Amino acid sequence: MARPREFDEAKVLDAATRCFWARGYELTSVRDLVEHTGITSASLYNAFGDKRALYGRVLDQYIECGIAERIRRCSAMPPRAGLAAFFDEPLERSISDPDHKGCMLINASLEVAPHDAGFREVVADALRRIEAFFLDRITAGQADGSVTRRLPPEDLAAHLLGTLMGLRTLSRVRPEPTLLTALVHTALALLDEPAAIACSAD
């Protein structure tokens, strides 16, 4: 009969997330994980497998509890408002985070995805989900008149995805409020008709 675990798995995953997020995958050692989670290396391996497996659990949780939850919340809003709201949280984090950690998903796309086919697919799938959300909301916005029809919805969705990745990458090295706010506001302005942009500037 298996012995019950003597630790809170959710708390351990949260601690491991903070560790990986702050240091990255390669620079995070098992010793770091033991120190931050407060459990032994044997318990870590028994519960989660090796470091790669634990990182996979952490990344999955980050995607489902962060990104996917935000997609669900913003999908319930009117299309144009939902698109703007989707950027509110990453913009605020990009400006206010004193450690300049960026986005764990974007960090994974730069650090581990190029060298690990398994993680590359996890990251690519998450980015496809974000792009699909953008496309769905843009299409709905074009239908109700809140988003311009001057550009194809696929092009606008791709642009917003690139903006998101640029925002979170820039936040690692240049977390300047004026720069990051301008990046997001300009991208969102492309969703509006020229007349609406002109009126808002008056």
Side-chain angles (χ1 to χ4, degrees):
M1 181 176 177
R3 294 176 58 188
R5 291 178 181 172
E6 298 176 350
F7 58 86
D8 186 321
E9 182 174 307
K11 290 182 178 179
V12 169
L13 281 173
D14 286 344
T17 297
R18 290 192 295 272
C19 191
F20 280 126
W21 198 353
R23 299 178 60 83
Y25 178 74
E26 292 296 339
L27 291 181
T28 298
S29 66
V30 173
R31 179 178 297 179
D32 293 326
L33 293 168
V34 167
E35 179 180 341
H36 282 79
T37 61
I39 65 175
T40 66
S41 57
S43 294
L44 272 175
Y45 282 116
N46 288 337
F48 304 104
D50 58 13
K51 184 178 104 168
R52 184 184 182 281
L54 176 57
Y55 184 77
R57 286 283 301 277
V58 161
L59 192 58
D60 286 344
Q61 177 175 271
Y62 181 87
I63 292 168
E64 291 305 319
C65 296
I67 295 169
E69 191 280 330
R70 191 157 82 249
I71 287 174
R72 287 190 291 271
R73 177 163 30 91
C74 294
S75 293
M77 302 177 183
R80 180 61 175 80
L83 289 165
F86 187 87
F87 280 89
D88 287 344
E89 183 179 314
L91 178 59
E92 191 278 330
R93 285 187 177 182
S94 295
I95 293 171
S96 64
D97 179 12
D99 300 319
H100 313 316
K101 298 187 300 298
C103 168
M104 192 170 182
L105 176 66
I106 306 305
N107 296 348
S109 75
L110 298 172
E111 182 190 13
V112 298
H115 316 292
D116 187 306
F119 285 132
R120 183 162 58 248
E121 184 54 34
V122 169
V123 171
D125 180 66
L127 294 178
R128 282 191 289 265
R129 290 168 70 180
I130 296 171
E131 186 178 14
F133 160 75
F134 289 151
L135 180 59
D136 175 76
R137 296 291 81 200
I138 289 166
T139 302
Q142 289 183 335
D144 71 13
S146 62
V147 173
T148 182
R149 295 184 181 181
R150 289 179 299 127
L151 294 169
E154 295 82 3
D155 291 358
L156 289 170
H159 183 73
L160 290 184
L161 180 64
T163 299
L164 179 65
M165 296 193 72
L167 167 70
R168 297 304 266 152
T169 302
L170 272 173
S171 71
R172 298 294 306 272
V173 291
R174 290 188 60 188
E176 303 157 22
T178 301
L179 173 68
L180 301 182
T181 300
L183 177 68
V184 171
H185 286 183
T186 301
L188 292 174
L190 286 177
L191 302 175
D192 299 325
E193 294 292 352
I197 297 173
C199 289
S200 66
D202 292 341

